[in-house]
Amino acid sequence: QLQLQESGPGLVKPSETLSLTCTVSGDSISRSTYYWGWIRQPPGKGLEWIGSIYYNGNTFYNPSLKTRVTLSVDTSKNQFSLTLSSVTAADTAVYYCARNYCGTTTCYTEYFQHWGQGTLVTVSS
Amino acid sequence: EIILKQSPATLSLSPGESATLSCRASQSVSSDLAWYQQKPGQAPRLLIYDASNRATGIPARFSGSGSGTDFTLTISSLEPEDFAVYYCQQRTNWPLTFGGGTKVEIK
């Protein structure tokens, strides 16, 4: 059974870099039909897509964060990662990693079916 | 960026009643729209994709309709576990965007 687990510091200081890793178990991160994403949710607010990365390393970023975000994949560890630089209090949120939806015969790249439990990252000095 | 506006913000209903949630896009998203359910402290759960297709394992009481700019999620007979927040999401254009959510609460 596919599982995703976010890991990383729960507290980051303003102006520093937030780094999170999503460890995938139960399947290979390298399958060509899989597409991995990061979504965040400030406390009490809605969902914001941060960016997505394909198995081959192709990336897509939210323009609102593009200058500060980098996504990467480590196939040897079955992990993908998020770094967000120059953080402020506005970056305080629960960060989710997710994988796209695959039905019985087709995979759909930009819909997210499998999610990690989420990890709260607080930006504060 | 495509803006998704959900209405109403809150829907107060009783178990057994039917719920109708709306999602309106700032420009056409064709049928490239999904619906998610989120309960407190949990990750979102994909319910509907491509506007009207139920994801694997989703009960038949959940149905989606619409195309272009106007979409509806209908829950035919609310079960106690259906009280949650619901989000729509479009994938027509980058960036992927979500609506602000509709909370379905127990009346």
Side-chain angles (χ1 to χ4, degrees):
Chain A
Q1 182 178 350
L2 179 70
Q3 289 190 324
L4 291 80
Q5 179 68 59
E6 304 90 351
S7 60
L11 181 65
V12 181
K13 290 182 167 56
S15 79
E16 295 190 344
T17 295
L18 178 162
S19 296
L20 295 175
T21 295
C22 183
T23 300
V24 178
S25 59
D27 206 342
S28 171
I29 200 170
S30 302
R31 288 187 186 271
S32 62
T33 51
Y34 292 165
Y35 167 95
W36 308 92
W38 289 95
I39 299 99
R40 70 180 183 178
Q41 185 170 36
K45 297 189 177 180
L47 300 164
E48 179 182 32
W49 173 73
I50 299 170
S52 296
I53 186 166
Y54 284 95
Y55 74 100
N56 60 4
N58 286 347
T59 52
F60 299 84
Y61 297 128
N62 192 321
S64 68
L65 300 168
K66 186 174 184 177
T67 59
R68 300 194 290 131
V69 172
T70 302
L71 302 190
S72 60
V73 171
D74 186 337
T75 56
S76 67
K77 295 181 179 179
N78 226 37
Q79 296 175 334
F80 63 106
S81 299
L82 161 72
T83 62
L84 180 66
S85 63
S86 305
V87 297
T88 70
D91 295 309
T92 294
V94 174
Y95 286 75
Y96 294 101
C97 60
R99 200 211 80 188
N100 65 312
Y101 172 60
C102 288
T104 52
T105 57
T106 305
C107 287
Y108 299 82
T109 48
E110 293 88 0
Y111 298 131
F112 297 104
Q113 180 187 32
H114 299 280
W115 297 65
Q117 65 185 21
T119 186
L120 174 62
V121 178
T122 301
V123 178
S124 175
S125 55
Chain B
E1 173 174 321
I2 295 176
I3 306 298
L4 299 177
K5 185 169 184 179
Q6 292 187 240
S7 61
T10 304
L11 202 49
S12 299
L13 295 167
S14 300
E17 290 190 299
S18 173
T20 301
L21 288 66
S22 174
C23 177
R24 177 165 290 178
S26 59
Q27 64 188 77
S28 177
V29 298
S30 186
S31 295
D32 295 332
L33 189 107
W35 289 93
Y36 297 83
Q37 175 194 67
Q38 187 179 34
K39 297 179 182 178
Q42 296 185 17
R45 173 193 183 196
L46 178 66
L47 300 174
I48 301 288
Y49 67 96
D50 283 354
S52 61
N53 296 295
R54 277 188 301 277
T56 305
I58 301 303
R61 64 180 181 273
F62 292 94
S63 63
S65 63
S67 66
T69 60
D70 291 302
F71 299 86
T72 301
L73 173 70
T74 302
I75 311 172
S76 60
S77 178
L78 284 163
E79 298 286 342
E81 62 267 28
D82 298 336
F83 291 92
V85 179
Y86 293 83
Y87 294 96
C88 55
Q89 177 235 321
Q90 66 81 23
R91 67 164 191 163
T92 289
N93 284 351
W94 303 104
L96 307 181
T97 51
F98 292 86
T102 290
K103 181 180 182 180
V104 179
E105 65 176 22
I106 299 177
K107 186 174 181 180

